[in-house]
Amino acid sequence: MYKPVLEIDLGKLKDNARVEKELLAKHGIEVMAVNKVFDGCVETAKAVLDGGIDVIAESRTYNLKKLKDALGCKTCLLRSPCLSEISEVVKYADISLNSEKVVIQALSEEAVKQQKVHQVLLMVDMGDLREGIWFEHIDEIIDTVKLILSLPGVELYGLGTNFNCYGTVLPTVKNGVDFLEIARKVEKACNIKIQYLSAGNCTSYHLLDKGIWPEGLNHIRIGGLHEFGIEYVDMKYLDEFHHSNKPVEKACSDMYKLYAQIIELNSKPTVPVGELGVDAFLNSKTFVDHGVRKRALLAFGRQDVPAESCVPIDDNITVLGQTSDHTLVDIEDVTQTLKVGDMIGFELDYTALLMACQTSGVEKRFIY
């Protein structure tokens, strides 16, 4: 059976995890590796563990089950638990992100049943408008921490916040310091020392890169940094990490390559002939006449991986577009001789990697 192939370089991923761990450790920061883009892939999680990071985070409990069964590592559920999955969360996640008292109470009850202690990372929304107790509601934050401290079967892992995922709010010195101040108020009110202040995701790294990281923030949940070697706020490659040689604006990586087979090869006009309507996805299109050019039809489509997130390895190849099952590329300027049955390769950005790992229509191959 034919499938396009996603090639993942586990050696480079391991190297990047090691470098990331060491860089953050110099600043007293613990790192939790986010594996969700790989859809619970055991091999990628193991590469990161081998690189020295000891907590793997996923946003789906069924993926945590895969990792627990295969690797037995410490795990974190990144998405707030559903009430309907509490049993699985306690069984397969050592830590989970939370903001709702009713969910925390349910975790406590289930943890007692399973004779476990489940750790709660209580989320505070510093303005990005996704999960968390709103930062101005300090009494609610304190009350929720007191609840966690009072319940059996759960303990406070730390306070967490998130940036740049929904509201596009950037991590800054100001919102970092404000988060620290909230933590200090909680510590005073509850007479505790909070172990971890988890200050966001890979976009938070730019504060470290600029040398302006607020002292006291000591934890980060991160994926994109070791997965792509990119600092995403200023959009630049970090030379300490393996990364692509393509323009950084393409945000792709040569650690992840998709190879698809040529199923048709010919020369055709660059403008359709006939009255135009919309495509299979109800989009209207505009075409520029470049005359007759050689093009290849590839055996993957939008239901597999979106072409706009795939960057041809050969810079002489241009992506023309996609249907659900086909991807069209211009190969007029390619210097090598291509034929039906040959493979054309692409580097992938985060979106393409996410989709390629999710679909059953793409086969994975690993480089060690």
Side-chain angles (χ1 to χ4, degrees):
M1 179 186 297
Y2 168 78
K3 291 183 180 181
V5 174
L6 169 63
E7 188 177 87
I8 299 177
D9 193 321
L10 297 177
K12 288 183 177 180
L13 187 62
K14 175 183 173 181
D15 288 346
N16 280 1
R18 176 185 51 77
V19 169
E20 178 180 271
K21 169 86 171 179
E22 292 172 356
L23 283 175
L24 293 170
K26 289 178 182 177
H27 298 274
I29 301 168
E30 286 284 330
V31 57
M32 180 184 287
V34 177
N35 194 58
K36 66 180 181 179
V37 72
F38 300 114
D39 192 33
C41 179
V42 171
E43 290 84 357
T44 56
K46 185 178 186 304
V48 170
L49 290 169
D50 289 344
I53 300 175
D54 57 8
V55 181
I56 304 296
E58 288 274 355
S59 58
R60 307 291 194 271
T61 52
Y62 54 78
N63 282 335
L64 292 177
K65 180 182 186 303
K66 286 196 291 186
L67 300 185
K68 273 292 185 187
D69 290 348
L71 302 172
C73 57
K74 190 168 185 179
T75 57
C76 176
L77 179 64
L78 276 176
R79 188 172 67 184
S80 301
C82 298
L83 278 174
S84 58
E85 64 174 351
I86 293 298
S87 175
E88 290 84 359
V89 172
V90 172
K91 188 172 183 179
Y92 301 118
D94 300 291
I95 311 158
S96 62
L97 277 58
N98 286 273
S99 58
E100 290 285 349
K101 290 180 180 179
V102 65
V103 176
I104 295 168
Q105 288 170 330
L107 288 168
S108 167
E109 294 170 7
E110 183 61 33
V112 170
K113 287 181 185 178
Q114 295 189 26
Q115 298 183 325
K116 289 186 174 183
V117 175
H118 185 80
Q119 295 181 298
V120 173
L121 180 59
L122 183 65
M123 297 302 290
V124 178
D125 188 340
M126 296 302 299
D128 197 56
L129 300 178
R130 201 176 71 175
E131 80 274 72
I133 302 171
W134 190 244
F135 69 96
E136 294 176 323
H137 300 168
I138 185 66
D139 289 342
E140 184 181 353
I141 297 170
I142 290 171
D143 287 346
T144 307
V145 170
K146 287 181 177 179
L147 174 67
I148 296 167
L149 297 174
S150 71
L151 289 172
V154 293
E155 65 181 25
L156 183 68
Y157 182 79
L159 292 186
T161 191
N162 195 60
F163 297 106
N164 205 226
C165 280
Y166 171 72
T168 71
V169 172
L170 294 174
T172 63
V173 172
K174 183 184 185 310
N175 53 35
V177 170
D178 289 346
F179 180 53
L180 274 166
E181 290 178 355
I182 289 170
R184 300 306 172 228
K185 289 178 182 178
V186 171
E187 289 178 331
K188 183 177 180 181
C190 299
N191 193 29
I192 59 170
K193 177 66 176 176
I194 299 173
Q195 182 178 14
Y196 292 121
L197 299 179
S198 190
N201 53 44
C202 63
T203 58
S204 296
Y205 183 80
H206 92 107
L207 298 177
L208 271 177
D209 188 57
K210 290 179 178 296
I212 53 175
W213 181 265
E215 186 176 353
L217 301 179
N218 63 355
H219 189 279
I220 197 167
R221 311 173 308 279
I222 203 162
L225 182 60
H226 60 262
E227 290 159 359
F228 286 85
I230 295 173
E231 195 281 285
Y232 281 97
V233 175
D234 292 330
M235 282 306 294
K236 65 178 184 179
Y237 289 125
L238 297 168
D239 289 339
E240 300 93 334
F241 295 84
H242 295 290
H243 59 73
S244 176
N245 290 315
K246 302 287 185 184
V248 71
E249 292 78 15
K250 295 184 182 295
C252 59
S253 174
D254 63 358
M255 293 163 61
Y256 320 107
K257 295 175 181 177
L258 181 73
Y259 291 96
Q261 192 170 141
I262 298 173
I263 56 174
E264 181 180 293
L265 190 64
N266 50 41
S267 295
K268 289 188 179 181
T270 46
V271 176
V273 176
E275 184 177 347
L276 302 186
V278 295
D279 68 11
F281 301 99
L282 303 183
N283 298 313
S284 58
K285 293 180 177 178
T286 301
F287 296 87
V288 178
D289 192 351
H290 294 292
V292 174
R293 291 180 65 87
K294 187 179 294 184
R295 64 32 160 330
L297 204 59
L298 306 180
F300 81 101
R302 182 165 292 276
Q303 73 179 51
D304 303 306
V305 184
E308 61 268 22
S309 295
C310 300
V311 182
I313 294 173
D314 188 332
D315 292 332
N316 292 314
I317 294 175
T318 302
V319 176
L320 298 174
Q322 263 186 323
T323 64
S324 56
D325 306 309
H326 303 84
T327 299
L328 288 78
V329 294
D330 183 304
I331 59 169
E332 180 73 27
D333 300 323
V334 173
T335 56
Q336 69 180 106
T337 301
L338 294 172
K339 62 184 183 301
V340 171
D342 285 345
M343 307 290 276
I344 287 181
F346 302 84
E347 292 187 21
L348 304 185
D349 71 6
Y350 186 92
T351 299
L353 180 60
L354 177 70
M355 299 306 296
C357 289
Q358 289 276 341
T359 180
S360 60
V362 173
E363 178 186 338
K364 293 186 184 72
R365 179 187 301 155
F366 301 102
I367 299 176
Y368 293 90

